[in-house]
Structure formats: structure tokens, C-alpha cells
Amino acid sequence: MFVLRRIEGLSMAPTLAPGQVVLAWNRPARVDMGDVVIIRHDGLEKIKRVHKIRGDELFVVGDNADVSTDSRHFGWIRRADVLGKVWWPARGH
């Protein structure tokens, strides 16, 4: 199943701009370094890039490090907290 989300804020700029819509694969079977994912953290959905993988944990960061609240602030997240992997637009980093 796919999910649509609208980008809010500047944490993923310039890769993803505020107001842009992304399409994500819900509960992906595989997540790799460099993937852009939708996570749930503190009851909020956040869109971040997977920077490191350690077992069932991910270290996620925003592409715009100056304004992003990410694993540098809240630490590693569980793979189970990934709600989706952004599929479109497909952009590398």
C-alpha cells in the first residue's frame, strides 16, 4: 500500500521542498542507507534520510542539517518506527 504525505518545514531541503507531495511505500520490507523514510517519533511523523543502520536500529538525518531535528538530537530509532519509504519523487543524495 502507498501513502501520500505533504512536506512541511525545511529539514529535507533542497531535496524535498515545503508543500511538495511524496508517495511512500507503507511498511517497506527493506530499508537501506540513503533511503528517505517516514518515521514516527514522539507522536509525530517525520521525513528523514537513513544515514546509518545498526541491526534493527536506524540513525536518520535531515538533508538540511542546520534546521533538522533528527537522530543527532533524539538518537537511534527502531526499524519498526518506519511508516514508509519514499518512492516518489525518486531522488538520490
Side-chain angles (χ1 to χ4, degrees):
M1 176 189 335
F2 289 101
V3 294
L4 290 172
R5 294 295 183 268
R6 184 173 308 277
I7 301 299
E8 294 183 22
L10 295 169
S11 73
M12 287 301 292
T15 307
L16 299 171
Q20 184 175 1
V21 174
V22 297
L23 179 66
W25 182 252
N26 189 23
R27 300 285 182 190
R30 182 181 171 121
V31 176
D32 296 310
M33 287 192 307
D35 287 345
V36 176
V37 294
I38 301 171
I39 63 167
R40 181 166 304 280
H41 176 260
D42 281 347
L44 299 172
E45 288 185 7
K46 300 176 181 183
I47 298 179
K48 304 294 176 194
R49 187 175 301 279
V50 177
H51 184 67
K52 297 177 186 175
I53 299 173
R54 178 177 73 190
D56 277 339
E57 294 182 311
L58 307 174
F59 192 90
V60 295
V61 296
D63 287 355
N64 186 354
D66 291 341
V67 299
S68 181
T69 300
D70 51 40
S71 287
R72 294 170 300 143
H73 302 91
F74 53 73
W76 294 77
I77 63 160
R78 297 175 304 135
R79 195 177 295 256
D81 292 328
V82 173
L83 303 176
K85 180 166 80 171
V86 174
W87 183 72
W88 182 88
R91 293 189 179 176
H93 181 66

